[in-house]
């Protein structure tokens, strides 16, 4: 465990220390796109944060290669080199996109090539544990197609959720923490060395996200861009592929009695890691909803819009920070809930705890609709957000928007409660958004 923690800390330190110089480089290089209609930030912010994250990945792998126990991962497996090859390729594509805005189909092709590079070096799904059947061996073509599909889905799911300051890095950090606990349990509890690469990947991924988060929390000083979001998505997918398709359930028969019992015991986490639907359930759901929404409107699935889950939280009335924390909460609940259930699936207390926490999460989601208001006589004793204020008429709102002014915080809160937009743009018939001065658009 100490070597994993050392690798994590080195990765986080390198990522953190390099993000500042990378920010200055991005400004000089002109990687600061203008504010778009779907952005939430108000000022042009440099991207290319993925450069620091990639060098953090390289530092983590380099340190692990020189540690006594983790060095065996490099000697007995080619997966770390496969990960580095695929990560370097996807990172270069992301850097080009952050600077030159390359076409979505080109990025998709690059993602498939990066996944193919990893498959060629041995990082692929060899078999699947299926409930009630046992271990199903896959042909090389089946394993390749399934591996490429998993990598592409995970990369785009993480990329889609990268819409608020600190959101993608925090959610992936939570997912990688749950994944690390699962892989570490298989590695040391069952003594299965095939889980060691996945454990290492999860520790490095946590370090990359933790090192970048201080620079990316609201208000963000730098964005990770596609060079960062696609990179951490690929690392997360690589760990899932390693532990799901490389760990042989037959080895675990010694601990559960039979192969079929082993599959039933591990399926709460095996199948979600494969798809993945539990570790990154929120980004995957956002990805599916975005594709359905855009296709239904006759748009390209790759066309950007402001209908993502985090955008909806802002529309409900949540602040930027609260929306991010709510997404963190749901990601942690799903990931760690599945992790706990995989350890002891027979306990009803786990299910009851998940149900209670889910009810709390629903309450947090609807919190802006139930903002309490103090009576008139007590308004002078409570914060402004709880005071009853008259909502500005639409004509006054239009004049304030033209003057480039914003209402006071208490008026904004009252307007959110009444769902009255102030200089936030009016959506036209074609879905375009006219953004007023100093307005908050969707990123």
């Amino acid at each position: 465990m100490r070597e994993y923690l050392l690798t994590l800390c080195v990765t986080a330190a390198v990522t953190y220390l390099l993000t500042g110089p990378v920010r200055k480089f991005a400004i000089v290089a002109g990687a600061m796109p203008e504010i778009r209609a779907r952005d939430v930030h108000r000022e042009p912010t440099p991207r290319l944060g993925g450069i620091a994250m990639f060098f953090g990945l390289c530092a983590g792998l380099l340190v692990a290669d020189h540690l006594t126990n983790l060095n065996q991962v490099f000697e007995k497996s080619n997966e770390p080199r496969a990960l580095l090859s695929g990560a370097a390729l996807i990172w270069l594509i992301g850097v080009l996109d952050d600077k030159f805005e390359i076409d979505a189909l080109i990025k998709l092709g690059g993602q498939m090539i990066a996944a193919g590079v990893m498959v060629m070096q041995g990082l692929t799904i060899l078999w699947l544990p299926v409930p009630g059947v046992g271990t199903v061996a896959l042909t090389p073509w089946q394993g390749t197609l399934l591996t490429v599909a998993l990598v592409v889905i995970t990369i785009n799911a993480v990329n889609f959720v990268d819409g608020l300051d600190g959101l993608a890095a925090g959610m992936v950090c939570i997912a990688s923490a749950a994944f690390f606990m699962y892989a570490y349990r298989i590695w040391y509890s069952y003594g299965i060395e095939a889980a060691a690469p996945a454990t290492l990947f999860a520790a490095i991924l946590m370090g990359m996200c933790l090192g970048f988060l201080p620079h990316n929390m609201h208000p963000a000083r730098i964005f990770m861009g596609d060079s960062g979001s696609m990179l951490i998505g690929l690392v997360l997918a690589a760990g899932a592929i390693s532990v799901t398709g490389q760990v042989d359930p037959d080895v675990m028969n010694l601990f559960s009695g039979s192969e079929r019992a082993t599959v039933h015991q591990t399926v709460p986490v095996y199948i979600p890691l494969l798809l993945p639907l539990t570790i990154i359930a929120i980004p995957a759901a956002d990805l599916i909803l975005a594709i359905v929404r855009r296709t239904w409107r006759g748009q390209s699935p790759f066309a950007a819009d402001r209908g993502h889950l985090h955008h909806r939280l802002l529309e409900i009335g949540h602040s930027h920070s609260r929306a991010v924390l709510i997404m963190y909460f749901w990601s942690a609940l799903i990931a760690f809930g599945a992790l706990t259930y995989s350890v002891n699936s027979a306990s009803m207390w786990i299910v009851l705890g998940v149900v209670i926490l889910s009810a709390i999460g629903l309450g947090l989601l609807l919190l802006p609709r139930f903002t309490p208001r103090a009576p008139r006589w007590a308004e002078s004793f409570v914060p402004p957000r709880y005071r009853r204020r008259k909502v500005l008429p639409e004509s006054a709102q239009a004049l304030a928007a033209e003057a480039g002014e914003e209402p006071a915080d208490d008026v904004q809160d009252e307007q959110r409660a009444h769902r009255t937009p102030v200089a936030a743009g009016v959506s036209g018939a074609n879905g375009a958004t006219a953004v007023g001065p100093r307005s908050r658009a969707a990123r």
Side-chain angles (χ1 to χ4, degrees), residues 3 62-63 70 81 126 173 214 216 229 245 332 369 373 391 398:
E3 293 189 353
L62 181 62
V63 170
L70 294 184
R81 285 175 284 274
L126 303 177
C173 185
N216 191 233
S229 62
R369 299 182 182 274
R373 297 295 173 182
V391 180

Side-chain angles (χ1 to χ4, degrees), residues 111-390:
Q111 295 168 8
M112 298 176 67
I113 294 174
V117 168
M118 294 194 299
V119 170
M120 292 176 60
Q121 299 186 61
L123 187 56
T124 183
I125 298 176
L126 303 177
W127 47 66
L128 290 178
V130 179
V133 178
T135 303
V136 177
L138 301 178
T139 64
W141 277 107
Q142 291 174 338
T144 299
L145 292 177
L146 191 57
T147 301
V148 172
L150 178 59
V151 171
V152 172
I153 290 173
T154 308
I155 288 176
N156 286 281
V158 174
N159 192 22
F160 271 50
V161 82
D162 183 25
L164 297 179
D165 297 345
L167 182 58
M171 292 182 66
V172 172
C173 185
I174 293 171
S176 57
F179 184 82
F180 175 82
M181 294 180 183
Y182 171 74
Y184 186 83
R185 173 173 171 259
I186 293 181
W187 169 209
Y188 281 96
S189 297
Y190 293 98
I192 302 177
E193 295 184 358
T199 310
L200 175 62
F201 297 164
I204 292 176
L205 183 57
M206 276 193 292
M208 295 165 61
C209 296
L210 290 175
F212 185 72
L213 267 175
H215 299 273
N216 191 233
M217 294 301 293
H218 183 71
R221 302 181 68 249
I222 185 173
F223 297 147
M224 67 173 65
D226 281 5
S227 59
S229 62
M230 293 198 298
L231 175 63
I232 60 178
L234 181 136
V235 177
L236 184 61
I241 292 168
S242 177
V243 76
T244 304
Q246 302 269 337
V247 175
D248 189 355
D250 292 336
V251 181
M252 301 176 67
N253 292 347
L254 299 175
F255 301 91
S256 58
S258 66
E259 180 178 340
R260 184 166 297 184
T262 299
V263 172
H264 279 290
Q265 178 182 350
T266 57
V267 74
V269 179
Y270 263 122
I271 299 301
L273 284 176
L274 175 66
L275 294 178
L277 293 178
T278 295
I279 296 301
I280 54 168
I282 302 299
D286 196 14
L287 172 64
I288 295 173
L289 291 175
I291 293 176
V292 173
R293 178 178 64 252
R294 294 166 184 174
T295 305
W296 183 263
R297 294 175 180 174
Q299 300 175 339
S300 168
F302 304 102
D305 60 14
R306 51 177 303 172
H308 293 291
L309 297 177
H310 47 272
H311 294 148
R312 296 180 184 274
L313 289 176
L314 296 178
E315 292 176 358
I316 290 175
H318 291 288
S319 64
H320 190 293
S321 299
R322 188 191 294 170
V324 172
L325 292 177
I326 289 176
M327 297 288 283
Y328 285 177
F329 174 84
W330 281 104
S331 298
L333 176 62
I334 296 174
F336 286 98
L339 175 65
T340 307
Y341 186 72
S342 69
V343 176
N344 186 7
S345 59
S347 176
M348 290 300 299
W349 288 104
I350 297 176
V351 178
L352 181 61
V354 172
V355 172
I356 294 175
L357 292 175
S358 298
I360 295 175
L362 291 175
L364 293 175
L365 285 175
L366 301 175
L367 187 61
R369 299 182 182 274
F370 301 101
T371 302
R373 297 295 173 182
R376 297 289 184 183
W377 59 268
E379 285 186 353
S380 59
F381 304 100
V382 297
R385 68 176 60 184
Y386 300 114
R387 300 173 186 173
R388 298 178 182 273
R389 300 284 182 175
K390 181 181 292 187

